[in-house]
């Protein structure tokens, strides 16, 4: 626990505390009365209500649409499965401003629905909800499907032989085993939608605003840092309460499970029901995930002779100090470094939390690990600039600052992906190895690692994808001569002109291709070493 605690204390707790203190302290004292003044304002209460209910509905819709896909990827074998899994994950790494623009092109004025049927859904809550499902579909598919693929199917088959119907066998045997993974996926989806920024900013218009949007508005437009600090505290307390309830509830339901090779569980579709389910999942992916991505690709090709892509190699001396294409290499370098940090920190934390003899203090840290996903990225970015400006941690001019911020978001994914699998390992296997004379390190290498290697690779893929698409904190700390892809896209979109917009779409397409290639390599590695998912 030493390294994870130190990491989150230095690079999360300290920066957030610094920015909150800057907003609530005045003339040497604390303005605590400001908290009551802010939360009792009618417009702020409306923001709090909308933030909460849209996150709940978005989470429910994502689970409803993605759980069938988790089953398909875990239990069925069909051609193109690896490619389709990579396609499912690509939307998760897109900058929110780009995905919001894509949905605006589909649902807004002169969009596809408007042209075909005269229907507009922009500036409505439905556009926001669909965009949230678009982003978080992969979270459920990978988190739940990762555990589902390794559950022993013979347990459910035994229940069927004893007279249980397929629905009853799934409800009483499989669902309880999947409950920790489903809860972890639901928690991550809720936190991402609770702190939604880019999607609501673009699709919500002036009608809808989340806490994250309001914090950004108070910070950068109104310049009211005290109100932003109060809203950050409200968000922090709400997320902390949710995480505490989640940790207490899920811990009681986790039990040791029999894990098997995914090659045993994946089978070709059998019967009309499985074929219909596969067809439904493919149709959902095509309409919900592929269609917005296709819009981005089409827009990047609007200029003749790949004009938008060719323009990426030129530096205009205004928006960037380097050619926009330089952002591709910068993003890859930062993402690799952030992934290494996130896997190290998150892996150690998951190993500590998985211990059956973990004390209450250690288990409480489980909830704290998720706080970076529920705290405003705007607050974290500003906090980095304020807190990490003095020796020995004066990192404002260091390249490592961006990977550290990205690892803060990636580490919770590592923990949430590895923890259910680690806790599902039967402790008697470790005890037997120890009785036979194996050292703790050898027990981990020969008992735990073969069972969790697949989850480790999944978590690394998640951390890499999150790092590629992280925008909220990076936009404040990325150096002008080293912009990441999301920062470069946002800057191009903020400037008028068809050339800037086309370059933004071209960079977005490059981001999609890079992510898909990385995920395909990861899928090949996992298939070679750990069996098909």
């Amino acid at each position: 626990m030493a390294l994870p605690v130190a990491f989150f204390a230095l690079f999360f707790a300290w920066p957030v505390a610094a920015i909150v203190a800057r907003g609530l302290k005045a003339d040497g004292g604390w303005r605590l009365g400001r908290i009551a003044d802010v939360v009792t304002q009618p417009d702020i209460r409306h923001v709090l209500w909308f933030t909460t209910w849209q996150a709940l509905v978005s989470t429910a819709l994502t689970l409803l649409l993605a759980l069938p896909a988790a089953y398909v990827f875990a239990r069925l074998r069909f051609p193109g499965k690896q490619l389709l899994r990579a396609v499912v994950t690509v939307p998760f790494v897109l900058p929110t401003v780009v995905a919001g623009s894509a949905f605006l092109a589909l649902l807004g004025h002169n969009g596809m629905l408007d042209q075909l049927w005269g229907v507009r859904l922009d500036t409505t809550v439905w556009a926001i909800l669909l965009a949230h499902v678009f982003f978080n579909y992969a979270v459920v598919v990978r988190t739940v499907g990762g555990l589902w693929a390794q559950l022993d199917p013979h347990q459910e088959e035994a229940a069927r032989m004893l007279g249980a119907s397929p629905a009853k066998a799934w409800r009483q045997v499989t669902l309880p085993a999947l409950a920790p993974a489903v809860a972890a996926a639901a928690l991550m989806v809720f936190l991402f939608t609770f702190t939604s920024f880019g999607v609501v900013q673009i699709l919500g218009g002036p009608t809808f605003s989340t806490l994250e949007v309001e914090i950004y508005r108070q910070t950068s437009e109104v310049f009211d840092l005290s109100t932003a600090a109060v809203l950050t505290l409200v968000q922090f307390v709400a997320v902390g309460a949710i995480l505490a309830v989640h940790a207490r509830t899920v811990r009681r339901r986790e039990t040791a499970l029999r894990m098997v090779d995914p090659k045993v569980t994946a089978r070709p579709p059998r019967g009309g029901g499985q074929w219909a389910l596969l067809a439904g999942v493919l149709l959902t992916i095509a309409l919900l995930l592929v269609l917005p991505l296709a819009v981005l690709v089409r827009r990047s090709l609007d200029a003749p002779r790949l004009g938008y892509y060719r323009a990426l190699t030129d530096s205009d001396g205004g928006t960037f100090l380097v050619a926009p294409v330089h952002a591709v290499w910068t993003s890859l370098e930062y993402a690799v470094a952030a992934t290494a940090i996130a896997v190290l920190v998150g892996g150690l934390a998951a190993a500590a939390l998985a211990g059956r003899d973990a004390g209450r203090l250690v288990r409480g840290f489980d909830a704290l690990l998720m706080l970076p996903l529920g705290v405003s990225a705007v607050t974290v970015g500003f906090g980095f600039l304020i807190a990490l400006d003095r020796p020995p941690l004066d990192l404002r001019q260091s390249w490592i600052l961006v990977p550290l911020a990205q690892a803060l978001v990636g580490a919770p994914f590592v923990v949430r992906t590895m923890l259910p699998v680690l806790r599902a390992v039967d402790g008697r296997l470790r005890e037997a190895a120890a009785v036979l004379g194996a050292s703790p390190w050898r027990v981990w290498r020969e008992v735990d690692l073969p069972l969790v290697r697949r989850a480790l690779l999944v978590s690394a893929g998640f951390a890499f994808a999150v790092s590629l698409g992280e925008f909220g904190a990076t936009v404040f700390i990325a150096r002008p001569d080293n912009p990441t892809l999301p920062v470069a896209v946002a800057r191009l979109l903020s400037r008028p002109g068809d050339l800037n917009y086309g370059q933004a779409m071209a960079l977005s397409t490059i981001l999609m291709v890079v992510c898909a290639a990385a995920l395909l390599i990861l899928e090949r590695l996992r298939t070679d070493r750990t069996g098909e998912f």
Side-chain angles (χ1 to χ4, degrees):
M1 291 296 297
L3 181 61
V5 169
F7 178 80
F8 281 93
L10 288 176
F11 302 114
F12 175 68
W14 185 16
V16 171
I19 191 68
V20 172
R22 180 71 64 91
L24 292 181
K25 289 185 71 174
D27 301 326
W30 291 90
R31 298 186 297 173
L32 298 181
R34 181 62 177 160
I35 298 177
D37 294 338
V38 171
V39 298
T40 55
Q41 296 177 15
D43 55 338
I44 297 299
R45 285 187 295 176
H46 176 73
V47 169
L48 291 172
W49 168 244
F50 175 74
T51 301
T52 302
W53 82 258
Q54 66 82 24
L56 290 171
V57 176
S58 296
T59 303
L61 282 176
T62 304
L63 290 174
L64 179 65
L65 294 175
L67 281 176
Y71 170 82
V72 166
F73 282 107
R75 294 300 199 193
L76 301 184
R77 185 185 301 119
F78 53 92
K81 184 176 177 180
Q82 294 181 30
L83 177 62
L84 189 63
R85 189 186 296 107
V87 171
V88 166
T89 309
V90 167
F92 186 69
V93 305
L94 286 179
T96 54
V97 290
V98 177
S101 300
F103 271 85
L104 194 63
L106 290 174
L107 309 176
H109 179 63
N110 288 329
M112 184 175 296
L113 288 183
D114 192 12
Q115 293 178 359
L116 293 178
W117 297 293
V119 176
R120 290 183 56 184
L121 294 177
D122 59 323
T123 67
T124 67
V125 71
W126 280 109
I128 296 173
L129 296 178
L130 289 175
H132 283 163
V133 177
F134 169 84
F135 271 112
N136 296 294
Y137 195 87
V139 176
V140 178
V141 171
R142 288 195 170 255
T143 304
V144 179
L147 180 60
W148 206 337
Q150 291 183 279
L151 289 181
D152 188 356
H154 293 97
Q155 299 179 19
E156 187 172 330
E157 294 171 0
R160 294 283 306 278
M161 293 182 62
L162 293 174
S165 64
K168 186 176 182 180
W170 183 85
R171 187 175 66 253
Q172 296 188 356
V173 177
T174 304
L175 183 58
L178 291 175
V182 173
L187 175 66
M188 287 189 285
V189 174
F190 181 85
L191 290 180
F192 274 115
T193 53
F194 190 81
T195 59
S196 180
F197 174 62
V199 167
V200 180
Q201 181 83 343
I202 294 177
L203 298 178
T207 306
F208 303 104
S209 178
T210 58
L211 272 173
E212 187 84 356
V213 174
E214 190 64 22
I215 291 172
Y216 177 80
R217 189 179 74 85
Q218 295 291 337
T219 302
S220 62
E221 298 178 9
V222 184
F223 304 107
D224 188 350
L225 194 58
S226 64
T227 299
V230 171
L231 295 180
T232 298
L233 283 177
V234 171
Q235 191 177 51
F236 189 86
V237 171
V239 170
I242 295 168
L243 293 175
V245 173
H246 170 269
R248 185 177 181 84
T249 303
V250 173
R251 180 72 181 184
R252 292 177 176 177
R253 295 188 177 185
E254 288 175 332
T255 57
L257 304 172
R258 182 182 176 188
M259 313 295 283
V260 297
D261 191 331
K263 288 182 179 179
V264 179
T265 64
R267 300 173 181 175
R270 294 177 296 180
Q274 289 190 345
W275 281 108
L277 180 62
L278 177 59
V281 168
L282 294 177
L283 180 62
T284 300
I285 293 174
L287 295 179
L288 184 63
L289 306 184
V290 177
L291 188 58
L293 301 181
V295 172
L296 293 181
V297 175
R298 183 188 64 80
R299 288 189 172 184
S300 72
L301 298 174
D302 282 346
R305 301 175 60 185
L306 301 177
Y308 293 145
Y309 289 92
R310 293 166 59 188
L312 295 177
T313 60
D314 299 327
S315 176
D316 59 8
T319 305
F320 306 104
L321 299 179
V322 295
V325 73
H326 182 72
V328 177
W329 314 115
T330 301
S331 290
L332 289 175
E333 292 170 354
Y334 285 162
V336 170
T339 301
I341 297 171
V343 170
L344 176 62
V345 173
L348 289 174
L353 293 169
R356 298 292 173 180
D357 56 346
R360 182 174 299 178
L361 181 62
V362 175
R363 294 196 299 269
F365 189 63
D366 185 8
L368 297 179
L369 288 171
M370 298 299 293
L371 284 179
L373 300 182
V375 173
S376 169
V378 175
T379 301
V380 174
F382 271 124
F384 265 51
L385 297 179
I386 292 175
L388 305 179
D389 62 344
R390 297 178 182 177
L393 284 176
D394 187 0
L395 302 178
R396 289 176 300 173
Q397 302 300 320
S398 175
W399 68 272
I400 197 63
L401 195 62
V402 174
L404 287 173
Q406 294 173 344
L408 275 175
V409 183
F413 280 92
V414 176
V415 175
R416 292 267 69 85
T417 304
M418 293 188 62
L419 193 55
V421 179
L422 281 171
R423 285 178 173 169
V425 176
D426 193 340
R428 291 174 296 182
L429 297 176
R430 303 187 185 102
E431 295 170 0
V435 169
L436 294 174
S439 65
W441 167 246
R442 187 176 181 183
V443 170
W444 161 255
R445 188 177 67 250
E446 298 189 7
V447 176
D448 292 81
L449 186 58
L451 294 174
V452 304
R453 182 188 293 120
R454 184 173 176 279
L456 182 63
L457 291 172
V458 171
S459 64
F462 258 133
F464 184 81
V466 169
S467 300
L468 279 178
E470 204 286 323
F471 173 71
T474 305
V475 70
F476 294 103
I477 56 180
R479 297 170 57 178
D481 58 340
N482 282 306
T484 62
L485 275 171
V487 172
V489 170
R491 290 179 182 174
L492 288 169
L493 285 175
S494 66
R495 301 186 66 190
D498 291 338
L499 179 60
N500 290 315
Y501 189 83
Q503 285 181 293
M505 296 300 102
L507 277 180
S508 301
T509 303
I510 292 174
L511 176 58
M512 287 189 290
V513 172
V514 170
C515 176
L519 292 172
L520 282 175
I521 293 173
L522 179 64
E523 297 300 333
R524 178 65 62 182
L525 179 65
R526 284 168 42 189
T527 300
D528 291 343
R529 294 187 178 184
T530 60
E532 183 155 353
F533 174 5

